[in-house]
Amino acid sequence: MKNIFKISLLLFGLIPTFSNAQAIEKKTLVLGVKYYNDNNISQHLVIQAKSKVDGKFQKIGNIPVKVYINNENDKNNFIGTGTTSERGEFLLLIPATAKTAWTKSANQSFVAISAESKLYEEARGEIAITKAKIKMDTADGKIVNAKLFVLTDSIWKPTAGVEMVLTVKRLDGNLNVNETATYTTDTAGAVTAEFKRENLPGDNKGNLIIVANVIDNDAYGNIIAETIVPWGKPLVYTTNYNHRSLFARRGHSPFWLEFLAYGIIAAVWVVIIYLVLLIKKIVKLGLE
Amino acid sequence: MDKLKENQIIEDLLPQKFGKLGRIWVASLIAVCALGAFAYGRQLYYGLEVTAMRDYVSWGIYISNFVFFVAISLVGSLITAVLRLTNVKWSTPLTRIAEIIAVSAITFASLIIIVDMGRPERFYNLFLHGRLQSPIIWDVIVITTYFFISLLLLYFPLLPDLKILIAFKERNGKWLQKLYVFLGSYWKDKHAQFKITDKAINILAIAIIPVAFSIHTVTSWLFATTYRPGWDSTNFGAYFISGAFLVGAGGVVVAMYIFRKHYKLEKYITDDHFDRMGKVLVMLALLYLYFNVNEFLVPAFKMKKSEEEHLLGLFTGEFAPIFWFAIFTAMFIPIFILLFKKGRKPLPAFIAGVLVVVGSWFKRFLIVTPTLLHPFLPMHDVPANYHHYIPTWEEWAIAGGSLAGALLVITFFARIFPIIPIHETILETESQENEKHF
């Protein structure tokens, strides 16, 4: 009895030790911050959370993150909060409240911080960008021009040597305007491409959306510009809703089926009616 | 034929009042019907939730019952039309039994379809919004047509008998007399009337065959036009019709035995009738067996992955006991019994008939339900009970009620009208006597 008491005491004494050992094993969380300039109208950030699971980085959901402009030391720099989705990320529009800090400098940085949790250690992610924008126009012969400008000392200056992609917007992704995958801006910050996608279906007027894209640039982040061009094939909406077919709606069955079905029904029911008339004839004979 | 003999035939074949056994039988059927009506009331109040039908098994024993009723109704065309057109005389005492089975079965086939609807008050939408391209609409049209043709085929040969019935005013009672007068007071045994009736019956005998074939072919197409394991078959029309003839003939043998025994009709439904119907049953069972071999052996030989689960479920899986029960009771055992002359005596033939009918009901269940439990796309994230179908008591009560209802119609018909055509029996006895003389 005494022994059982001792063993129990020992076991219960060990439980908190095991619990503490488990609580210590917290994983490292990596926070990534991406910057997007959308058509020179709005800017947003995408915050991503990752952690190593079985030796591989996996996206981590349900991580609350606070986001700051410049740094986290001043509470006025706080621009928003969010929680990562199942895909391990969330999107945060840079709010109007950040205007003062945003307009102060051509160079900006954003800091994302997630507090320590039961499973993960505290994490911090940061991105530093220089403000940049793309201007687009078109020329005769289906030529697309895009120019990249970078804000330097309050002046938008063209920048050379930056990779850019010129695409046409489609439903499930973008299609390159021709066989060239990427372009590099020249000294005038410009790239030029010929649109070679003939007979591409556009909207009902034949309009297509051409997109110029700087993707994940270390200095400028992601910059997107769009312009609408009438180079597509007008989409004529056709429907077989009113066509006669075996799968059509009521009253739209094929003529051959209607002819056959109604023909058979009429033939059989004419016989039935004739037989009813025979009954009438028998009745008449009986009453004579 | 002398008047005495004629009177004896009339006396033997006039409808009789229910005895003690008859009253118990009717009361039992009414009780089953009432239980079915109560269960249906619950289904109307609570919705189809009271059934075991869910997302996958949306056709359960109601539709099995429907296919069974449609199948058994085909017997009207077999006995009345096919045997009449092939000049088979021995079937005369069986024609009315076959026709009333057909009429009652087709009536309850229509009713059970309405029972299967979650919102029966919306039935009219089938006519307002039905598509001519749909086999369901073809089924509605052909069932209605078959019902009217069967009714006419029941009515025309009844006319001369109605005149005989009207003559027994005292025996009939007030209400029955009124009914007979309403239905047949104009029948005067005139030669011209007989001529028209014969013509009408001949037209009906010809017309009912394609309609009867259509009714069961279209019912088979409800399944065969749907791309599912077990239903995706070009054999289905012939498979259904052969099965329908078998269960219909089995039903007639059962009815023959019960009517003969209960109304003491041994002189009219003779051992010879059982012997001949027994041979017909063997032929039909062999035919149905042939179609079953085609229906199962060919897909089992190929054993396509998509059909494997369904076929193995029938042969060795969840449905194997019912499958082999149906195959043996509907085909193998009746064939074995009826192949021997002794097996074609009334009692063994009756037992074989019962086995055919019972086995055929389960065969219809196997056609409808296992397929629904084995869709081409595997079932994912569904409750465990979606993988099985065990009918609820409400479903059993409603299905039982409909079967009892069909039997009740036949029972009341036999109480009101002669179950063996009196006039035709007199004529045939007369002609047999004349043949003996010459």
Side-chain angles (χ1 to χ4, degrees):
Chain A
M1 190 69 189
K2 234 177 181 179
N3 285 340
I4 293 170
F5 178 74
K6 276 181 184 172
I7 290 165
S8 306
L9 204 66
L10 191 67
L11 281 173
F12 283 109
L14 282 173
I15 288 170
T17 317
F18 287 127
S19 307
N20 287 339
Q22 281 180 339
I24 290 162
E25 286 175 21
K26 288 190 178 182
K27 288 183 180 174
T28 306
L29 193 72
V30 177
L31 285 181
V33 184
K34 285 188 171 187
Y35 165 83
Y36 289 84
N37 178 357
D38 306 319
N39 220 12
N40 306 323
I41 295 169
S42 66
Q43 290 76 34
H44 73 263
L45 303 171
V46 171
I47 318 297
Q48 293 174 324
K50 288 178 186 175
S51 183
K52 266 194 177 177
V53 179
D54 299 329
K56 284 180 184 174
F57 271 111
Q58 303 282 343
K59 291 166 182 173
I60 307 295
N62 207 26
I63 303 288
V65 181
K66 285 182 176 176
V67 185
Y68 300 85
I69 190 166
N70 294 329
N71 59 62
E72 68 272 35
N73 301 329
D74 186 346
K75 68 174 182 180
N76 292 326
N77 289 346
F78 176 72
I79 58 170
T81 183
T83 304
T84 55
S85 66
E86 284 177 4
R87 294 167 63 192
E89 61 183 36
F90 70 91
L91 184 148
L92 182 76
L93 280 169
I94 297 170
T97 50
K99 192 180 175 184
T100 316
W102 174 254
T103 49
K104 243 181 215 174
S105 169
N107 300 310
Q108 296 290 347
S109 61
F110 299 93
V111 180
I113 295 171
S114 75
E116 186 184 350
S117 67
K118 278 184 183 176
L119 295 173
Y120 301 101
E121 292 170 352
E122 188 192 62
R124 191 176 187 280
E126 190 173 355
I127 189 171
I129 54 108
T130 302
K131 290 177 193 171
K133 65 180 182 182
I134 297 171
K135 278 192 172 180
M136 286 183 76
D137 61 24
T138 56
D140 288 344
K142 296 184 180 177
I143 302 296
V144 183
N145 296 313
K147 271 188 179 179
L148 179 69
F149 296 92
V150 175
L151 192 61
T152 316
D153 300 330
S154 306
I155 298 166
W156 290 101
K157 289 182 179 172
T159 300
V162 178
E163 271 197 1
M164 199 186 289
V165 179
L166 293 174
T167 56
V168 56
K169 204 175 230 179
R170 307 307 295 155
L171 195 63
D172 288 322
N174 293 354
L175 180 73
N176 291 322
V177 292
N178 56 37
E179 62 280 357
T180 309
T182 56
Y183 298 85
T184 307
T185 54
D186 58 16
T187 47
V191 295
T192 301
E194 188 186 351
F195 179 83
K196 287 184 179 173
R197 302 290 179 186
E198 295 300 325
N199 296 322
L200 207 61
D203 63 10
N204 55 1
K205 288 177 184 168
N207 287 333
L208 296 170
I209 298 171
I210 304 291
V211 183
N213 229 352
V214 171
I215 301 168
D216 278 341
N217 187 281
D218 289 342
Y220 313 118
N222 296 277
I223 307 163
I224 303 152
E226 292 178 357
T227 187
I228 294 171
V229 293
W231 298 338
K233 205 169 111 183
L235 184 74
V236 181
Y237 179 70
T238 54
T239 173
N240 58 10
Y241 187 66
N242 289 321
H243 290 181
R244 287 182 175 274
S245 69
L246 281 175
F247 46 83
R249 65 203 159 97
R250 177 184 165 81
H252 286 70
S253 45
F255 279 121
W256 63 263
L257 179 68
E258 293 203 351
F259 178 75
L260 206 69
Y262 291 131
I264 293 169
I265 294 165
V268 176
W269 277 90
V270 161
V271 171
I272 293 173
I273 292 163
Y274 173 67
L275 290 166
V276 173
L277 290 176
L278 285 184
I279 294 174
K280 213 177 154 189
K281 213 170 167 183
I282 296 170
V283 173
K284 208 175 161 189
L285 281 167
L287 296 176
E288 275 173 4
Chain B
M1 189 169 68
D2 58 44
K3 199 71 187 163
L4 208 67
K5 204 163 189 180
E6 192 179 313
N7 286 343
Q8 185 59 51
I9 293 173
I10 293 170
E11 185 60 33
D12 288 345
L13 299 182
L14 277 177
Q16 295 168 30
K17 283 184 179 171
F18 291 131
K20 195 182 169 188
L21 201 66
R23 282 198 293 271
I24 292 170
W25 168 249
V26 171
S28 312
L29 291 178
I30 290 173
V32 177
C33 285
L35 183 66
F38 172 70
Y40 185 54
R42 278 178 56 81
Q43 185 181 301
L44 283 179
Y45 187 79
Y46 294 108
L48 281 172
E49 195 194 26
V50 300
T51 71
M53 291 186 283
R54 293 290 180 265
D55 292 26
Y56 287 93
V57 178
S58 51
W59 286 356
I61 54 170
Y62 296 157
I63 297 298
S64 311
N65 229 13
F66 162 73
V67 181
F68 174 79
F69 277 133
V70 171
I72 207 163
S73 75
L74 216 69
V75 72
S77 66
L78 171 78
I79 303 289
T80 315
V82 178
L83 297 183
R84 185 186 176 95
L85 290 175
T86 47
N87 215 16
V88 173
K89 294 286 178 201
W90 60 265
S91 67
T92 307
L94 316 180
T95 50
R96 199 159 287 158
I97 295 174
E99 271 311 313
I100 188 58
I101 290 175
V103 170
S104 65
I106 206 68
T107 307
F108 279 88
S110 317
L111 292 176
I112 203 77
I113 280 289
I114 298 170
V115 167
D116 192 59
M117 291 177 173
R119 300 289 300 268
E121 78 279 11
R122 294 180 180 174
F123 181 60
Y124 66 93
N125 282 321
L126 197 62
F127 298 96
L128 288 182
H129 305 293
R131 296 164 62 248
L132 190 65
Q133 302 96 309
S134 165
I136 290 176
I137 285 294
W138 308 344
D139 220 26
V140 171
I141 294 167
V142 82
I143 284 175
T144 315
T145 308
Y146 187 69
F147 172 75
F148 281 105
I149 290 185
S150 298
L151 216 55
L152 285 171
L153 201 50
L154 191 66
Y155 184 59
F156 273 107
L158 197 65
L159 285 170
D161 287 358
L162 284 170
K163 186 175 179 287
I164 297 168
L165 290 170
I166 289 168
F168 293 86
K169 195 178 174 182
E170 293 300 314
R171 183 189 164 123
N172 295 337
K174 196 179 160 190
W175 291 107
L176 278 184
Q177 184 67 12
K178 268 189 177 177
L179 179 72
Y180 297 147
V181 168
F182 172 74
L183 289 173
S185 61
Y186 57 85
W187 184 265
K188 303 291 180 204
D189 277 349
K190 286 184 179 176
H191 177 69
Q193 285 182 319
F194 275 117
K195 215 174 156 185
I196 294 170
T197 310
D198 281 345
K199 184 181 168 185
I201 294 171
N202 278 334
I203 292 171
L204 279 166
I206 295 166
I208 203 168
I209 294 173
V211 176
F213 269 66
S214 303
I215 184 176
H216 220 48
T217 306
V218 168
T219 303
S220 82
W221 287 352
L222 292 179
F223 303 95
T225 52
T226 312
Y227 185 49
R228 279 175 177 276
W231 293 351
D232 184 29
S233 164
T234 53
N235 190 31
F236 247 41
Y239 171 56
F240 266 51
I241 286 174
S242 63
F245 276 142
L246 173 65
V247 62
V252 167
V253 171
V254 173
M256 276 163 62
Y257 182 83
I258 293 169
F259 284 129
R260 171 184 143 120
K261 187 104 178 149
H262 189 70
Y263 292 125
K264 307 208 173 353
L265 299 172
E266 286 81 358
K267 266 196 285 178
Y268 306 94
I269 303 174
T270 61
D271 284 10
D272 186 51
H273 286 108
F274 282 94
D275 186 70
R276 289 172 192 269
M277 277 305 289
K279 286 173 184 167
V280 170
L281 261 180
V282 171
M283 184 196 76
L284 292 171
L286 284 170
L287 187 70
Y288 192 45
L289 189 63
Y290 166 76
F291 279 109
N292 269 277
V293 169
N294 272 280
E295 194 53 37
F296 292 106
L297 186 73
V298 177
F301 190 83
K302 290 181 281 189
M303 203 54 100
K304 283 187 258 178
K305 201 72 197 162
S306 54
E307 299 203 3
E308 188 181 4
E309 202 182 339
H310 167 68
L311 289 169
L312 292 180
L314 290 176
F315 299 154
T316 53
E318 186 185 354
F319 294 102
I322 307 177
F323 179 78
W324 294 113
F325 171 81
I327 294 286
F328 275 87
T329 50
M331 284 163 271
F332 282 119
I333 300 174
I335 290 171
F336 182 75
I337 295 172
L338 297 167
L339 265 180
F340 302 99
K341 196 164 176 62
K342 277 186 182 172
R344 295 195 294 275
K345 292 282 175 201
L347 184 63
F350 165 72
I351 293 166
V354 171
L355 289 174
V356 164
V357 173
V358 173
S360 296
W361 190 93
F362 283 100
K363 191 76 179 61
R364 300 308 177 276
F365 174 75
L366 290 170
I367 290 170
V368 177
T369 304
T371 285
L372 294 169
L373 283 169
H374 300 112
F376 281 126
L377 290 175
M379 294 188 209
H380 278 310
D381 298 328
V382 294
N385 65 338
Y386 280 35
H387 291 273
H388 307 279
Y389 171 69
I390 300 161
T392 59
W393 77 263
E394 283 92 345
E395 285 176 274
W396 283 118
I398 292 169
S402 68
L403 290 166
L407 291 174
L408 209 56
V409 169
I410 297 167
T411 308
F412 279 124
F413 182 87
R415 167 65 191 90
I416 297 168
F417 300 106
I419 199 68
I420 292 176
I422 301 175
H423 182 260
E424 277 184 75
T425 309
I426 292 170
L427 284 184
E428 271 189 16
T429 316
E430 227 170 41
S431 85
Q432 278 166 9
E433 281 183 2
N434 288 341
E435 275 173 22
K436 276 182 195 168
H437 285 299
F438 297 103

